[in-house]
Amino acid sequence: MAVIATVLFAFAAALLGPVGTAWAGSVHNGASQPVYSYTDAIRESVWVDTGTVVDGAPVRVAADIIRPREPAAHGRRIPVIMDASPYYSCCGRGNESQVKTYDANGQPVQFPLYYDNYFVPRGYAVVLVDLAGTNRSDGCEDVGGPLEVAGAKSVIDWINGRATAHSSRTGGTEVKASWADGSVGMIGKSWDGTIANGVAATGVDGLKTIVPISAISSWYDYYRSQGAPLYPGTPADLAGYVEDPATTARCATTQGELAAGAPYSGDWTSFWQQRDYVANADKVKASVFVVHGQQDLNVRTVHFGQWWDALAARGVPRKIWLSQTGHVDPFDYRRSAWVDTLHGWFDHYLMGVDNGIDRQPMADIERAPDQWSTDAKWPAPGTRLTTVHLNPGTLGGSSTNSGTTAFTDDPSRDENAWAADVDRSTPDKTVFSTRALDHDVRMSGSGDLTLTVGSSTTSAHLSAVLVDIGPAAIRNYLGSGEGISTLTTRSCWGEGTPGDTGCFLDTAADTSQVGATVFSRGWIDLGHYASLDHGRPLTPGTPYRMTVHLSPTDHVVPAGHRLALIVAGTDNGLIDPPDTKPTLTVDLSHSELRLPLVGGTGALPAGQQPRAAASQAAPLAVLTGRQPADLR
């Protein structure tokens, strides 16, 4: 299907027919067609009452709208594609950091990304919403909290006639969405997709589908992992990043709440509960198209996994794409297939087109750079959460666990150093490995590791990673593009104007040859052994039992490779260290690893034998160059 579109005026005339004929709309041959003029589209801004008050003043959020002129002239209403973001002025959207631009009268000119260029000619309105406290919206940025969610939700309410909008920030005339049919699809990467999750979790009527890309499902899990701090900052820092200085000065109370509600201790608070969308997954009415990079070390993969599982329990219509990239939009790693698929998704769930996308394979998985497979369901049919036994140096091949192992936290080391030294005995880690596999082993979904651990000090953090040991060409997810390279050529996706061309820099896969690949991770703070509500000091020498949640994955360890579990302390760059430097002793007889194996107990080869450590072996090649987190 061609995706570099132009407005085909002859075809448009054939669809629209001569004056006085019946309305045909934009759908033809099972898909919406680019029959409307992008140049002549209506561009306008409204300010929507959110029903919330900050410092005694009502909060209105700004929404910039672009919609085709022709449907309204024929008395036809159209659906809405909506992206609510805090980044439209401070930081930009997409690989080229596009921001909104306006003419001298304040009317919108550039709508970031390609949604407007591609979908407006096909009969959609595109609405870009400034989250509360950002760009042209009122209020304070509360980072995934009630103000943000209420602001985005209020725009859907306005589109459905349940909220009031105005022609200016200070009031002006009332504006009605008489052009809208009430159907809304929310989309966005990172923070934008996070708000789509949050709004869907309110159960708002009119939201028919969401497409969260690399999105957060619970803000606690963005900043903490089972008590372990992932970042030293607080949501107040993130708010300050997207607000202008004047807004930050006005929002001191909210800033204080953002700092106080997110204790560095890792304790679960009511602040986190307000920002846990998974807890309200039972309210979701919209279909959900989840997209995530399996090597996203910014919005880590726990977010899509727990959201997916909660939606599955609810029976929500779902689709999923999992790439090998880090924090990257599919427009930048699988552009043509992505736009085609998104087009079909919106046509089906917003225009009601029976195009069969709801009957296509549920999952697309990137197996190697630009090589994809599909599955009818996800996790893959035949997946079983399977107990894999642990013995010193050995993974699987036994009917029991036995022995002990110990390691000393070294905060200067990380998962890639551990993987490179998988066959070296080093004091900072312990390794459990299979022998070379005689057949492919696939994992699909989330696993866990229950450990009985004693610490030599009063505090300890623990990391667990699954490693595919063997040569592979993978996307360079730790590079500056997190798996993509940006080229100098451009291609156009839809219609354009001089102020919004619809043309974007092309990309290609950035690849690397490695000898070991970390593909699933988990981190905990042992001080939260009793509850996430309150951490406490450890008693040295006392064993504590905790379960590490391993991040969801869909990975095939090929025949000839080995599967390894590495358990260690601080994973440098991914969690912060504890305030002591403990030695941890693991009682394997009271520990258990469970993996989501396709084929269940028969997936791993039997008869594993312990391997002698190759202490003089050269380190394996792994990726280096981790980049700092950026929620965009």
Side-chain angles (χ1 to χ4, degrees):
M1 173 179 176
V3 293
I4 303 176
T6 59
V7 176
L8 306 177
F9 290 105
F11 181 50
L15 281 185
L16 297 177
V19 175
T21 61
W23 174 262
S26 64
V27 176
H28 184 70
N29 290 335
S32 60
Q33 303 293 329
V35 299
Y36 303 130
S37 171
Y38 180 81
T39 300
D40 294 335
I42 296 169
R43 296 162 173 84
E44 59 188 333
S45 302
V46 299
W47 281 260
V48 181
D49 290 331
T50 65
T52 59
V53 175
V54 173
D55 293 333
V59 174
R60 292 174 180 148
V61 294
D64 293 314
I65 303 160
I66 180 170
R67 54 188 174 90
R69 186 176 299 274
E70 297 90 339
H74 288 79
R76 299 288 296 189
R77 297 187 175 193
I78 59 174
V80 171
I81 296 169
M82 175 173 150
D83 186 341
S85 177
Y87 291 127
Y88 286 132
S89 65
C90 82
C91 318
R93 304 310 300 127
N95 194 35
E96 300 175 53
S97 300
Q98 290 186 323
V99 296
K100 289 180 176 179
T101 62
Y102 304 89
D103 65 18
N105 296 317
Q107 293 301 303
V109 174
Q110 176 170 272
F111 288 74
L113 304 178
Y114 59 94
Y115 307 139
D116 57 312
N117 310 95
Y118 188 84
F119 286 105
V120 168
R122 288 169 165 79
Y124 292 86
V126 171
V127 177
L128 304 186
V129 180
D130 298 328
L131 291 181
T134 68
N135 199 22
R136 301 202 296 176
S137 286
D138 299 328
C140 299
E141 175 54 71
D142 67 343
V143 187
L147 287 176
E148 263 193 8
V149 173
K153 175 181 175 293
S154 69
V155 178
I156 299 174
D157 286 332
W158 169 67
I159 289 167
N160 282 273
R162 300 188 299 266
T164 302
H166 309 269
S167 60
S168 73
R169 190 169 187 170
T170 56
T173 60
E174 182 178 344
V175 181
K176 293 185 179 295
S178 57
W179 46 266
D181 70 5
S183 296
V184 180
M186 291 187 70
I187 188 171
K189 177 194 166 195
S190 201
W191 201 330
D192 306 19
T194 299
I195 294 306
N197 286 341
V199 173
T202 69
V204 60
D205 289 334
L207 182 61
K208 299 299 179 63
T209 191
I210 63 170
V211 185
I213 302 166
S214 301
I216 294 167
S217 59
S218 172
W219 281 87
Y220 177 88
D221 296 301
Y222 183 74
Y223 281 95
R224 309 288 182 257
S225 176
Q226 296 187 256
L230 305 180
Y231 302 111
T234 71
D237 302 315
L238 200 53
Y241 184 56
V242 298
E243 293 174 336
D244 63 51
T247 298
T248 301
R250 293 196 308 270
C251 295
T253 299
T254 302
Q255 286 274 325
E257 292 170 351
L258 292 174
Y264 185 71
S265 65
D267 290 352
W268 177 268
T269 65
S270 59
F271 176 91
W272 298 123
Q273 182 62 50
Q274 285 184 320
R275 293 159 175 80
D276 179 15
Y277 312 132
V278 179
N280 291 312
D282 60 341
K283 298 179 182 177
V284 174
K285 302 173 185 174
S287 62
V288 181
F289 187 175
V290 170
V291 182
H292 219 102
Q294 293 200 77
Q295 295 290 3
D296 192 338
L297 300 178
N298 182 347
V299 178
R300 306 178 197 199
T301 57
V302 62
H303 292 280
F304 89 77
Q306 61 192 7
W307 186 232
W308 182 268
D309 291 345
L311 296 172
R314 165 82 174 160
V316 170
R318 305 175 318 287
K319 189 174 181 65
I320 190 167
W321 274 25
L322 298 175
S323 73
Q324 276 197 350
T325 66
H327 199 61
V328 182
D329 193 292
F331 187 73
D332 293 317
Y333 60 73
R334 202 187 184 196
R335 188 167 294 181
S336 180
W338 168 248
V339 175
D340 277 354
T341 304
L342 186 64
H343 181 186
W345 186 263
F346 281 148
D347 274 2
H348 179 71
Y349 285 103
L350 297 182
M351 286 191 174
V353 178
D354 185 11
N355 54 21
I357 197 167
D358 54 324
R359 301 184 293 276
Q360 293 176 0
M362 178 182 283
D364 279 33
I365 314 294
E366 188 176 27
R367 296 296 173 198
D370 293 324
Q371 297 178 25
W372 293 76
S373 67
T374 62
D375 283 285
K377 301 290 183 183
W378 199 85
T383 301
R384 300 289 184 272
L385 197 57
T386 305
T387 298
V388 179
H389 294 288
L390 303 173
N391 289 283
T394 304
L395 182 64
S398 172
S399 60
T400 59
N401 295 358
S402 64
T404 61
T405 188
F407 53 89
T408 300
D409 192 357
D410 182 350
S412 70
R413 300 263 287 173
D414 67 11
E415 59 185 40
N416 293 298
W418 305 331
D421 285 338
V422 70
D423 290 326
R424 292 172 177 258
S425 178
T426 60
D428 60 311
K429 71 181 190 314
T430 189
V431 178
F432 308 91
S433 173
T434 68
R435 59 174 170 81
L437 301 175
D438 53 20
H439 58 264
D440 294 354
V441 172
R442 179 181 176 186
M443 276 156 279
S444 182
S446 303
D448 57 57
L449 173 65
T450 298
L451 294 174
T452 300
V453 188
S455 172
S456 65
T457 63
T458 56
S459 63
H461 296 164
L462 184 145
S463 304
V465 298
L466 294 174
V467 187
D468 177 345
I469 304 170
I474 67 172
R475 285 189 183 260
N476 181 18
Y477 63 88
L478 292 180
S480 59
E482 299 191 50
I484 65 164
S485 296
T486 302
L487 308 179
T488 58
T489 58
R490 289 184 179 272
S491 56
C492 303
W493 297 78
E495 297 304 311
T497 63
D500 192 332
T501 66
C503 302
F504 302 87
L505 289 170
D506 297 318
T507 64
D510 175 19
T511 64
S512 182
Q513 294 286 334
V514 298
T517 306
V518 178
F519 64 88
S520 181
R521 307 159 173 88
W523 309 274
I524 59 170
D525 166 52
L526 264 63
H528 285 84
Y529 62 89
S531 169
L532 275 186
D533 293 340
H534 183 63
R536 59 198 71 189
L538 304 172
T539 300
T542 298
Y544 298 94
R545 187 172 174 85
M546 286 192 72
T547 296
V548 187
H549 302 308
L550 298 175
S551 59
T553 184
D554 199 298
H555 184 84
V556 176
V557 182
H561 287 206
R562 290 181 283 144
L563 170 63
L565 167 71
I566 301 177
V567 182
T570 300
D571 192 345
N572 183 33
L574 291 180
I575 63 171
D576 284 355
D579 56 8
T580 63
K581 189 176 180 181
T583 294
L584 299 173
T585 301
V586 182
D587 178 0
L588 297 177
S589 64
H590 293 90
S591 299
E592 181 180 77
L593 173 66
R594 299 194 304 165
L595 298 179
L597 297 176
V598 179
T601 55
L604 282 178
Q608 299 291 344
Q609 297 297 322
R611 295 179 304 100
S615 59
Q616 301 306 313
L620 295 170
V622 294
L623 290 179
T624 58
R626 178 173 294 127
Q627 301 298 310
D630 181 345
L631 190 52
R632 286 180 291 169

